[in-house]
Amino acid sequence: MEAHLPDMSHGQNGRAAGRPLINPIAALCADCRPANRQSPRTNGGRISRPDIKQQHIVIPPGMDIVTEGERSRGVYVVCDGWAVRYNRLGPATRQILDVLLPGDTFALAATISGTSQHSVQAITSVSVCLLNGRQIVSLLKTDAAFAFGVLQVREADERRADARLTMLGRLSAGEKLGYFMVEIYDRLQRRGMANGKGCPFPLRRNDVADALGLSKVHISRALRALRAQALVDIRGQDMFIPDVAKLADHAGYAMD
Amino acid sequence: MEAHLPDMSHGQNGRAAGRPLINPIAALCADCRPANRQSPRTNGGRISRPDIKQQHIVIPPGMDIVTEGERSRGVYVVCDGWAVRYNRLGPATRQILDVLLPGDTFALAATISGTSQHSVQAITSVSVCLLNGRQIVSLLKTDAAFAFGVLQVREADERRADARLTMLGRLSAGEKLGYFMVEIYDRLQRRGMANGKGCPFPLRRNDVADALGLSKVHISRALRALRAQALVDIRGQDMFIPDVAKLADHAGYAMD
DNA sequence: CGTAATCTTGACCAACGTCAATGTTCGTGG
DNA sequence: CCACGAACATTGACGTTGGTCAAGATTACG
């Protein structure tokens, strides 16, 4: 696999490449989110609006934060920990749609449409900030700059989703696994949550399998192959990537 | 496969189920789009804004309308014909991300971020309306109701993308094919472009293969199996679905 | 009517899934 | 500190799905 999957960067305008996109919804919770404190950039003077009611919740590992079909309780910001967004297809089958990392938001679509179309499960212990859905919607309907900022983040998410679809459709198991891991590494690295050689990785083999549409047994085999090529390794709750560029190249992941 | 994939409906609020979401961008081109004329519902009095410059273009089958990496030329509305949004992974490999039908829009993300991350190819002869990107962006930045409407459509698209990811990851070839066809039928039917038993289907086996991550040979085999079960048939440029509910059930597609 | 493109079919093969046995890790209580 | 059990991970053996190759059949179109 030589060709590269589409660019995953968050560059927001050709001229502003390199500046990460600020999520205006996550910014509402800037005071409570460690990942935010590290990038106190401009966001139109809208850091921390006291009029949006907030509620902090800590969810233990394995528990669902929102469930498919349930009525929206508001918009969530992940302050700490990892979660996954998933769909269930049967009692023993699920597809993980995305991994949610600190600084990500979820359940906006559910808030706009009324009910959630997917579940979100805590992988580690997760601390979230719940924002008042009604107020978010009214802000979106009246504040164009806010709505535009959210739309920008949405479009960037859509690119990531497109790239994930491409890799699910066309890569081999080993490439999928490499792609998945380097994508997570890259996202964490941009948030200052990775060092040059690795980052946390609390997902189980089963979770990885559910994200890539493979069996957990095959994840073991594919990982062994990647390990043998010194592309990536998982030890305990952490992943190590000896040469990020090499892994990205192997998986067709465009870094910048 | 008994369980259903997530609901694809465009119901915009629990209370407003059944009313299709209006795409505010497509509405700017209401006067030129057949599919729009059939649903002259309220969209805040914003039907047809003469101040957004428009240009009509007809693209012959097989030609790219936008190309990955190229600078945005504006936002497009499909007035007539079919196109596909895709990523190329090599000279002989591509992944189709979505099928674009009359009434759909594309290249908004490219307009917001500067360059396009994917290509769009005409399947049939396609007639599009090109809207001025700068003016769309300035409208998004100043008109909150407009931006909110676009965000709503985006969220609905994201649901469809989530469901597609789920099916790509977890369904068998036959289920994927059934899902793909009934999804297209459903989308056309909502736009009044299908009768009770079928609809146009100008895609080649190769296109279907590229959309589902399968080989074109296997598409033939899977189609034969579906045909044998009287679930769906393709004859020439049209598809026929004897029993839509039965096919939807087979593929785990949630109709309403 | 002839040529090119597309579609179908069969034969064969590689990738991945499933099952089941064995290792490993980690938390818990003695 | 050690013993135990539960959850998770790895490995091997084997079956199935879907890919590849190549040869006809069909369709579209000049």
Side-chain angles (χ1 to χ4, degrees):
Chain A
M1 184 53 55
E2 295 302 315
H4 275 211
L5 292 179
D7 180 9
M8 287 296 80
S9 81
H10 289 173
Q12 87 175 352
N13 269 316
R15 56 195 179 276
R19 182 199 305 173
L21 226 50
I22 294 278
N23 184 332
I25 292 182
L28 291 171
C29 176
D31 46 336
C32 71
R33 189 162 64 82
N36 252 355
R37 285 191 217 111
Q38 302 185 280
S39 53
R41 313 290 176 91
T42 167
N43 68 335
R46 198 175 294 98
I47 289 183
S48 185
R49 267 173 107 107
D51 56 323
I52 303 271
K53 279 185 222 140
Q54 304 183 1
Q55 182 184 356
H56 288 267
I57 309 172
V58 176
I59 295 99
M63 177 169 284
D64 276 2
I65 305 173
V66 309
T67 306
E68 184 178 339
E70 94 178 354
R71 209 166 159 69
S72 164
R73 280 196 289 260
V75 179
Y76 296 83
V77 182
V78 178
C79 300
D80 195 37
W82 289 36
V84 292
R85 211 158 56 80
Y86 70 94
N87 275 152
R88 198 163 280 293
L89 278 107
T93 318
R94 68 174 184 174
Q95 174 67 44
I96 290 181
L97 302 165
D98 204 359
V99 177
L100 299 170
L101 304 173
D104 287 330
T105 64
F106 60 94
L108 176 61
T111 298
I112 288 178
S113 78
T115 59
S116 180
Q117 297 302 313
H118 49 73
S119 305
V120 174
Q121 183 188 39
I123 295 294
T124 65
S125 176
V126 172
S127 141
V128 296
C129 185
L130 175 55
L131 306 178
N132 183 300
R134 208 163 320 211
Q135 289 182 276
I136 295 280
V137 168
S138 96
L139 197 51
L140 285 171
K141 281 180 171 165
T142 55
D143 184 336
F146 182 77
F148 183 74
V150 171
L151 189 59
Q152 275 188 306
V153 173
R154 255 26 220 155
E155 298 289 356
D157 284 349
E158 203 193 310
R159 287 180 184 205
R160 233 161 44 78
D162 282 350
R164 251 194 333 267
L165 194 83
T166 303
M167 78 127 179
L168 262 183
R170 287 301 180 194
L171 300 190
S172 70
E175 291 164 339
K176 286 181 193 177
L177 179 56
Y179 184 97
F180 183 72
M181 300 194 65
V182 78
E183 196 213 78
I184 285 179
Y185 173 84
D186 189 35
R187 289 170 67 197
L188 286 176
Q189 201 269 326
R190 286 171 194 281
R191 297 169 201 205
M193 304 177 107
N195 62 53
K197 290 299 173 199
C199 64
F201 192 77
L203 297 175
R204 321 244 161 255
R205 302 292 181 272
N206 218 331
D207 301 321
V208 179
D210 287 345
L212 300 181
L214 298 165
S215 69
K216 66 183 173 192
V217 175
H218 207 68
I219 296 296
S220 272
R221 290 193 272 247
L223 179 60
R224 175 170 39 160
L226 292 186
R227 200 176 345 229
Q229 295 173 265
L231 286 170
V232 55
D233 195 5
I234 301 176
R235 283 199 295 275
Q237 304 266 99
D238 297 282
M239 74 161 92
F240 298 93
I241 305 181
D243 183 340
V244 177
K246 195 170 137 203
L247 179 59
D249 185 61
H250 170 85
Y253 180 85
M255 288 294 297
D256 37 20
Chain B
M1 185 53 58
E2 294 303 315
H4 275 211
L5 293 178
D7 181 8
M8 286 297 80
S9 79
H10 290 174
Q12 88 175 351
N13 269 315
R15 55 194 180 279
R19 182 198 305 173
L21 226 49
I22 294 279
N23 184 332
I25 292 182
L28 292 171
C29 175
D31 45 338
C32 70
R33 189 162 65 81
N36 251 353
R37 284 191 218 113
Q38 302 186 283
S39 53
R41 313 289 177 91
T42 168
N43 68 334
R46 198 176 295 97
I47 289 183
S48 184
R49 267 172 107 107
D51 56 322
I52 303 271
K53 280 185 223 142
Q54 304 185 1
Q55 183 183 357
H56 289 267
I57 309 173
V58 176
I59 295 99
M63 178 169 284
D64 276 2
I65 306 173
V66 308
T67 306
E68 184 178 340
E70 95 179 353
R71 209 165 158 69
S72 163
R73 280 196 290 261
V75 179
Y76 295 82
V77 182
V78 179
C79 300
D80 195 36
W82 290 36
V84 292
R85 211 158 56 81
Y86 71 95
N87 275 152
R88 196 162 283 293
L89 279 107
T93 318
R94 68 174 184 174
Q95 175 67 44
I96 289 180
L97 301 164
D98 203 0
V99 177
L100 300 169
L101 304 173
D104 287 331
T105 64
F106 61 94
L108 176 61
T111 298
I112 288 178
S113 78
T115 59
S116 180
Q117 298 303 312
H118 49 73
S119 305
V120 175
Q121 183 188 40
I123 295 295
T124 64
S125 175
V126 172
S127 140
V128 296
C129 185
L130 175 55
L131 306 177
N132 182 299
R134 209 164 319 210
Q135 289 182 277
I136 295 280
V137 168
S138 96
L139 196 52
L140 285 171
K141 281 181 171 164
T142 55
D143 183 336
F146 182 76
F148 183 74
V150 172
L151 188 60
Q152 275 188 306
V153 173
R154 259 22 222 155
E155 298 290 355
D157 284 349
E158 203 192 311
R159 287 180 185 204
R160 232 159 44 79
D162 282 350
R164 249 192 334 266
L165 194 84
T166 303
M167 78 126 179
L168 261 183
R170 287 301 180 193
L171 299 190
S172 70
E175 290 163 340
K176 286 180 192 176
L177 180 56
Y179 184 97
F180 183 71
M181 300 194 65
V182 77
E183 196 213 77
I184 285 178
Y185 173 84
D186 189 35
R187 288 170 67 198
L188 286 177
Q189 201 271 325
R190 287 171 193 281
R191 297 169 201 205
M193 305 177 105
N195 62 54
K197 290 300 173 199
C199 64
F201 192 76
L203 297 175
R204 323 241 160 256
R205 302 291 183 272
N206 217 333
D207 302 320
V208 179
D210 287 344
L212 300 181
L214 298 165
S215 70
K216 67 183 171 188
V217 175
H218 207 67
I219 297 296
S220 271
R221 290 193 273 246
L223 179 60
R224 174 171 40 162
L226 292 187
R227 201 177 343 230
Q229 295 173 265
L231 286 170
V232 57
D233 195 5
I234 300 176
R235 284 199 295 275
Q237 304 266 98
D238 296 282
M239 75 161 91
F240 298 92
I241 306 181
D243 183 341
V244 176
K246 196 170 136 201
L247 179 59
D249 185 61
H250 171 84
Y253 181 85
M255 289 294 298
D256 36 22

Short mmCIF file of all heavy atoms in Angstrom, two decimals, chain A residues 173 177 204-206 208-210 212 214-224, chain C residues 17, chain D residues 10:
data_model
loop_
_atom_site.label_atom_id
_atom_site.label_comp_id
_atom_site.label_asym_id
_atom_site.label_seq_id
_atom_site.Cartn_x
_atom_site.Cartn_y
_atom_site.Cartn_z
N ALA A 173 -5.69 -6.23 7.02
CA ALA A 173 -5.82 -6.20 8.48
C ALA A 173 -4.62 -5.49 9.13
O ALA A 173 -4.80 -4.66 10.02
CB ALA A 173 -5.94 -7.63 9.02
N LEU A 177 -4.82 -1.97 11.30
CA LEU A 177 -4.36 -1.86 12.68
C LEU A 177 -3.34 -0.73 12.81
O LEU A 177 -3.42 0.09 13.73
CB LEU A 177 -3.76 -3.19 13.14
CG LEU A 177 -3.23 -3.22 14.56
CD1 LEU A 177 -4.31 -2.82 15.57
CD2 LEU A 177 -2.67 -4.60 14.91
N ARG A 204 -8.80 -2.63 24.78
CA ARG A 204 -8.56 -4.08 24.75
C ARG A 204 -8.51 -4.55 23.29
O ARG A 204 -9.00 -3.88 22.39
CB ARG A 204 -9.68 -4.83 25.47
CG ARG A 204 -10.19 -4.13 26.70
CD ARG A 204 -9.93 -4.94 27.95
NE ARG A 204 -10.00 -4.09 29.12
CZ ARG A 204 -8.96 -3.68 29.82
NH1 ARG A 204 -7.72 -4.00 29.46
NH2 ARG A 204 -9.10 -2.93 30.88
N ARG A 205 -7.98 -5.73 23.08
CA ARG A 205 -7.95 -6.29 21.72
C ARG A 205 -9.35 -6.34 21.13
O ARG A 205 -9.57 -6.11 19.94
CB ARG A 205 -7.36 -7.70 21.74
CG ARG A 205 -5.98 -7.80 22.29
CD ARG A 205 -4.96 -7.14 21.43
NE ARG A 205 -3.62 -7.28 22.00
CZ ARG A 205 -3.10 -6.44 22.88
NH1 ARG A 205 -3.76 -5.36 23.26
NH2 ARG A 205 -1.88 -6.63 23.36
N ASN A 206 -10.31 -6.67 21.99
CA ASN A 206 -11.69 -6.77 21.56
C ASN A 206 -12.23 -5.43 21.04
O ASN A 206 -12.96 -5.38 20.05
CB ASN A 206 -12.55 -7.22 22.74
CG ASN A 206 -13.62 -8.17 22.28
OD1 ASN A 206 -14.08 -8.10 21.14
ND2 ASN A 206 -14.03 -9.08 23.15
N VAL A 208 -10.42 -3.00 19.76
CA VAL A 208 -9.76 -2.73 18.48
C VAL A 208 -10.45 -3.52 17.37
O VAL A 208 -10.73 -2.99 16.28
CB VAL A 208 -8.26 -3.08 18.55
CG1 VAL A 208 -7.59 -2.82 17.22
CG2 VAL A 208 -7.57 -2.30 19.66
N ALA A 209 -10.75 -4.79 17.66
CA ALA A 209 -11.44 -5.62 16.68
C ALA A 209 -12.79 -5.00 16.29
O ALA A 209 -13.12 -4.93 15.11
CB ALA A 209 -11.64 -7.03 17.24
N ASP A 210 -13.52 -4.52 17.28
CA ASP A 210 -14.83 -3.93 17.00
C ASP A 210 -14.70 -2.62 16.23
O ASP A 210 -15.63 -2.19 15.55
CB ASP A 210 -15.59 -3.67 18.31
CG ASP A 210 -16.10 -4.97 18.91
OD1 ASP A 210 -16.12 -5.99 18.20
OD2 ASP A 210 -16.46 -4.97 20.11
N LEU A 212 -12.29 -2.09 13.93
CA LEU A 212 -11.76 -2.35 12.59
C LEU A 212 -12.57 -3.39 11.82
O LEU A 212 -12.24 -3.70 10.68
CB LEU A 212 -10.30 -2.82 12.70
CG LEU A 212 -9.35 -1.82 13.37
CD1 LEU A 212 -7.94 -2.36 13.42
CD2 LEU A 212 -9.38 -0.49 12.61
N LEU A 214 -12.75 -6.57 12.51
CA LEU A 214 -11.99 -7.82 12.46
C LEU A 214 -12.30 -8.62 13.72
O LEU A 214 -12.99 -8.15 14.61
CB LEU A 214 -10.50 -7.51 12.38
CG LEU A 214 -10.02 -6.73 11.15
CD1 LEU A 214 -8.63 -6.17 11.34
CD2 LEU A 214 -10.07 -7.61 9.91
N SER A 215 -11.77 -9.84 13.78
CA SER A 215 -11.95 -10.64 14.99
C SER A 215 -10.80 -10.35 15.94
O SER A 215 -9.71 -9.98 15.53
CB SER A 215 -11.97 -12.12 14.65
OG SER A 215 -10.69 -12.54 14.24
N LYS A 216 -11.06 -10.55 17.23
CA LYS A 216 -10.02 -10.23 18.20
C LYS A 216 -8.82 -11.16 18.03
O LYS A 216 -7.68 -10.77 18.27
CB LYS A 216 -10.55 -10.29 19.62
CG LYS A 216 -10.96 -11.67 20.08
CD LYS A 216 -11.55 -11.62 21.49
CE LYS A 216 -12.12 -12.98 21.86
NZ LYS A 216 -12.95 -12.93 23.09
N VAL A 217 -9.05 -12.37 17.59
CA VAL A 217 -7.94 -13.29 17.34
C VAL A 217 -7.04 -12.75 16.24
O VAL A 217 -5.81 -12.79 16.34
CB VAL A 217 -8.48 -14.68 16.96
CG1 VAL A 217 -7.35 -15.60 16.57
CG2 VAL A 217 -9.26 -15.27 18.12
N HIS A 218 -7.66 -12.21 15.21
CA HIS A 218 -6.85 -11.70 14.11
C HIS A 218 -6.10 -10.43 14.50
O HIS A 218 -5.03 -10.15 13.95
CB HIS A 218 -7.71 -11.46 12.88
CG HIS A 218 -6.94 -11.57 11.59
ND1 HIS A 218 -6.43 -12.76 11.15
CD2 HIS A 218 -6.55 -10.64 10.69
CE1 HIS A 218 -5.78 -12.55 10.02
NE2 HIS A 218 -5.82 -11.27 9.72
N ILE A 219 -6.65 -9.68 15.43
CA ILE A 219 -5.92 -8.51 15.94
C ILE A 219 -4.60 -8.96 16.56
O ILE A 219 -3.55 -8.37 16.31
CB ILE A 219 -6.76 -7.74 16.97
CG1 ILE A 219 -8.03 -7.18 16.33
CG2 ILE A 219 -5.94 -6.62 17.61
CD1 ILE A 219 -7.77 -6.15 15.25
N SER A 220 -4.66 -10.03 17.34
CA SER A 220 -3.44 -10.58 17.93
C SER A 220 -2.41 -10.92 16.86
O SER A 220 -1.23 -10.57 16.97
CB SER A 220 -3.75 -11.85 18.73
OG SER A 220 -4.10 -11.54 20.05
N ARG A 221 -2.87 -11.58 15.82
CA ARG A 221 -1.95 -12.00 14.76
C ARG A 221 -1.37 -10.80 14.03
O ARG A 221 -0.16 -10.74 13.76
CB ARG A 221 -2.68 -12.91 13.78
CG ARG A 221 -3.02 -14.26 14.37
CD ARG A 221 -3.45 -15.24 13.29
NE ARG A 221 -4.88 -15.17 13.05
CZ ARG A 221 -5.73 -16.15 13.32
NH1 ARG A 221 -5.31 -17.28 13.87
NH2 ARG A 221 -7.00 -16.03 13.06
N ALA A 222 -2.24 -9.85 13.70
CA ALA A 222 -1.76 -8.67 12.96
C ALA A 222 -0.78 -7.87 13.82
O ALA A 222 0.21 -7.35 13.31
CB ALA A 222 -2.95 -7.80 12.54
N LEU A 223 -1.07 -7.81 15.12
CA LEU A 223 -0.17 -7.07 16.00
C LEU A 223 1.19 -7.74 16.08
O LEU A 223 2.23 -7.07 16.09
CB LEU A 223 -0.79 -6.96 17.40
CG LEU A 223 0.04 -6.23 18.44
CD1 LEU A 223 0.33 -4.80 18.01
CD2 LEU A 223 -0.65 -6.24 19.79
N ARG A 224 1.17 -9.06 16.12
CA ARG A 224 2.44 -9.78 16.14
C ARG A 224 3.29 -9.43 14.91
O ARG A 224 4.50 -9.21 15.00
CB ARG A 224 2.19 -11.30 16.19
CG ARG A 224 3.47 -12.11 16.09
CD ARG A 224 3.25 -13.58 16.38
NE ARG A 224 2.00 -14.09 15.81
CZ ARG A 224 1.74 -15.38 15.59
NH1 ARG A 224 2.67 -16.28 15.90
NH2 ARG A 224 0.60 -15.77 15.11
P DG C 17 -11.56 -11.41 10.58
OP1 DG C 17 -12.56 -10.37 10.83
OP2 DG C 17 -10.34 -11.49 11.41
"O5'" DG C 17 -12.31 -12.81 10.60
"C5'" DG C 17 -13.49 -12.98 9.83
"C4'" DG C 17 -14.24 -14.24 10.26
"O4'" DG C 17 -13.43 -15.39 9.96
"C3'" DG C 17 -14.57 -14.32 11.74
"O3'" DG C 17 -15.85 -14.93 11.91
"C2'" DG C 17 -13.44 -15.17 12.31
"C1'" DG C 17 -13.11 -16.09 11.14
N9 DG C 17 -11.69 -16.44 11.05
C8 DG C 17 -10.62 -15.57 11.00
N7 DG C 17 -9.46 -16.17 10.92
C5 DG C 17 -9.79 -17.52 10.91
C6 DG C 17 -8.94 -18.66 10.83
O6 DG C 17 -7.70 -18.69 10.75
N1 DG C 17 -9.67 -19.83 10.85
C2 DG C 17 -11.04 -19.91 10.94
N2 DG C 17 -11.55 -21.14 10.94
N3 DG C 17 -11.83 -18.86 11.01
C4 DG C 17 -11.14 -17.70 10.99
P DT D 10 -1.58 -10.39 22.80
OP1 DT D 10 -0.25 -9.77 22.86
OP2 DT D 10 -2.62 -9.91 21.87
"O5'" DT D 10 -1.38 -11.94 22.54
"C5'" DT D 10 -0.40 -12.63 23.30
"C4'" DT D 10 -0.43 -14.09 22.96
"O4'" DT D 10 -1.75 -14.61 23.23
"C3'" DT D 10 -0.16 -14.44 21.49
"O3'" DT D 10 1.08 -15.15 21.46
"C2'" DT D 10 -1.35 -15.30 21.06
"C1'" DT D 10 -1.96 -15.71 22.39
N1 DT D 10 -3.42 -15.97 22.43
C2 DT D 10 -3.87 -17.24 22.72
O2 DT D 10 -3.11 -18.18 22.92
N3 DT D 10 -5.22 -17.38 22.75
C4 DT D 10 -6.17 -16.39 22.55
O4 DT D 10 -7.37 -16.64 22.61
C5 DT D 10 -5.64 -15.08 22.26
C7 DT D 10 -6.58 -13.95 22.02
C6 DT D 10 -4.31 -14.93 22.21
#
